[in-house]
Amino acid sequence: EAQVTQNPRYLITVTGKKLTVTCSQNMNHEYMSWYRQDPGLGLRQIYYSMNVEVTDKGDVPEGYKVSRKEKRNFPLILESPSPNQTSLYFCASSVREWSTDTQYFGPGTRLTVL
Amino acid sequence: GENVEQHPSTLSVQEGDSAVIKCTYSDSASNYFPWYKQELGKRPQLIIDIRSNVGEKKDQRIAVTLNKTAKHFSLHITETQPEDSAVYFCAASRGGSYIPTFGRGTSLIVHP
């Protein structure tokens, strides 16, 4: 089954404790990205990757890191989480086709930073 | 970069009525305009999309229109049903090479 998976689905942590949210897709998509969703602000892009070892900042990259060592995986790293990073996070992947950027979203990770 | 404005933020209708959600974009090079539906507690999922070489597209009760000159596109839902209740996001991108920019979302509530 074609899918994007994220782990963990729920996480409560404390300020300053490094964490990683994993994302994996089995559709051989070139593009992967991370979004955060906050009430009234919609989906804001954190980082994206066009291929292995190619990553770039989105609209709200501060406080986050990513890596793309394999095509299928795109982990999101919070080196020193803060309460303003409490949010719902979605990983997404898409295929590079003519005039299409359909995003396939993972199930989401709800993060709370105390 | 691209900027996408979406209105209204909340839309409440009676079952059977039509609903219209409107978006405007700023980048004239954008050529791909998808719409995503996010049910409560679920992930966003694509429901319909339109490319810049097409002015309108329909899929059963939903349709999307695009006005490239005015840089706006709209989602139309006819004969709304309670299961249409969700948050709807529009997006714009230069398809095939770029990552989309999303609107802030519209919460559609369909009252039985």
Side-chain angles (χ1 to χ4, degrees), chain A residues 14 21 30 46 50 55 69 75 78 91 99 106 114:
Chain A
V14 295
V21 184
E30 292 91 349
I46 303 170
M50 291 193 173
T55 62
K69 293 183 169 49
L78 284 72
C91 177
S99 198
L114 302 175

Side-chain angles (χ1 to χ4, degrees), chain A residues 56-76:
Chain A
D56 208 346
K57 296 177 181 178
D59 298 320
V60 288
E62 293 77 21
Y64 304 94
K65 286 177 59 177
V66 293
S67 68
R68 186 93 182 272
K69 293 183 169 49
E70 303 167 282
K71 196 172 186 179
R72 62 183 292 128
N73 297 324
F74 190 44
L76 179 69

Side-chain angles (χ1 to χ4, degrees), chain A residues 4 31-33 35 37 40-43 45 48 50 88 90 94 96-103 105-107, chain B residues 31-32 36 38 41-46 49 51 53 89 93-105:
Chain A
V4 179
Y31 296 158
M32 297 185 75
S33 53
Y35 297 88
Q37 183 176 15
L41 297 179
L43 291 158
Q45 191 182 75
Y48 65 94
M50 291 193 173
L88 177 59
F90 287 101
S94 61
R96 183 175 181 175
E97 289 180 350
W98 176 80
S99 198
T100 296
D101 272 327
T102 302
Q103 302 285 295
F105 286 90
Chain B
N31 58 8
Y32 177 62
Y36 293 84
Q38 185 182 27
K42 302 285 183 64
R43 72 190 79 187
Q45 291 191 296
L46 179 76
D49 57 14
R51 294 169 179 79
N53 58 346
F89 293 98
S93 73
R94 301 183 191 183
S97 299
Y98 294 84
I99 305 294
T101 299
F102 286 84
R104 293 191 173 193

